[in-house]
Amino acid sequence: MTTTVPTAGPTPTPATASVSGAGSVTVTAAVVPGGGPGGFDRLLEAVVGERAAAVRNVPATLTCFTDHFPRHPVLPGVLLLESMAALARTAAGPGTWRLAAVRGVRFKHFVGPGDQVHLTVEVTAHGPHRTECRATARAGGRVVATARVLALVSDETTREGTA
């Protein structure tokens, strides 16, 4: 049986997928066509409500490198954070999830052109309207960024101050 995990972006094309007990969905080695500047390029693993892993390639052709910084190009931290959030949305499962809060973000090393970033997300709390994750980004065998909490809320959740 082939099953895909919906994401808030390009739809991954799974190479293999399986459905395990208790309704959890596992996807391995999915390719995300046109991963885009804020997402990831390849989904390695996704277990809804538990964890996800992906790879993001950083091409030298990104326009941000011309200004950030001309003599020492560095991937902006917000783009790395967006990749972590996109993977967290994948781990949260079906539905439309939006980033509500980010806590404990640490940027430890620079990510530059040509780097390949391995992203991992671990779900620490999961419910129908709110999911919290912990994320790690590694490049060149070392941790380049971490996020202690990425809090996602379902788009069906009523926003504060609205009816």
Side-chain angles (χ1 to χ4, degrees), residues 11-53:
T11 305
T13 308
T16 62
S18 63
V19 178
S20 53
S24 68
V25 177
T26 304
V27 176
T28 54
V31 177
V32 181
F40 47 87
D41 296 306
R42 188 169 36 126
L43 183 61
L44 301 175
E45 176 187 34
V47 180
V48 173
E50 291 182 28
R51 67 184 175 278

Side-chain angles (χ1 to χ4, degrees), residues 5 7 10-16 27-36 38-46 52-58 83 86-87 90 115-121:
V5 177
T7 60
T11 305
T13 308
T16 62
V27 176
T28 54
V31 177
V32 181
F40 47 87
D41 296 306
R42 188 169 36 126
L43 183 61
L44 301 175
E45 176 187 34
V55 172
R56 174 177 185 173
N57 297 309
V58 183
S83 294
L87 188 58
T90 300
D115 284 344
Q116 186 176 62
V117 181
H118 293 268
L119 305 160
T120 57
V121 167

Side-chain angles (χ1 to χ4, degrees), residues 3 5 11 15 28 32-33 47 49 56 58 66 84-85 87 90 95 97-98 110 119 126 130 134 139 144 147 149 161:
T3 307
V5 177
T11 305
T28 54
V32 181
V47 180
R56 174 177 185 173
V58 183
T66 58
M84 289 188 227
L87 188 58
T90 300
W97 296 91
R98 61 184 168 83
F110 293 119
L119 305 160
H126 184 61
R130 184 175 177 88
R134 178 180 19 243
V144 294
V149 176

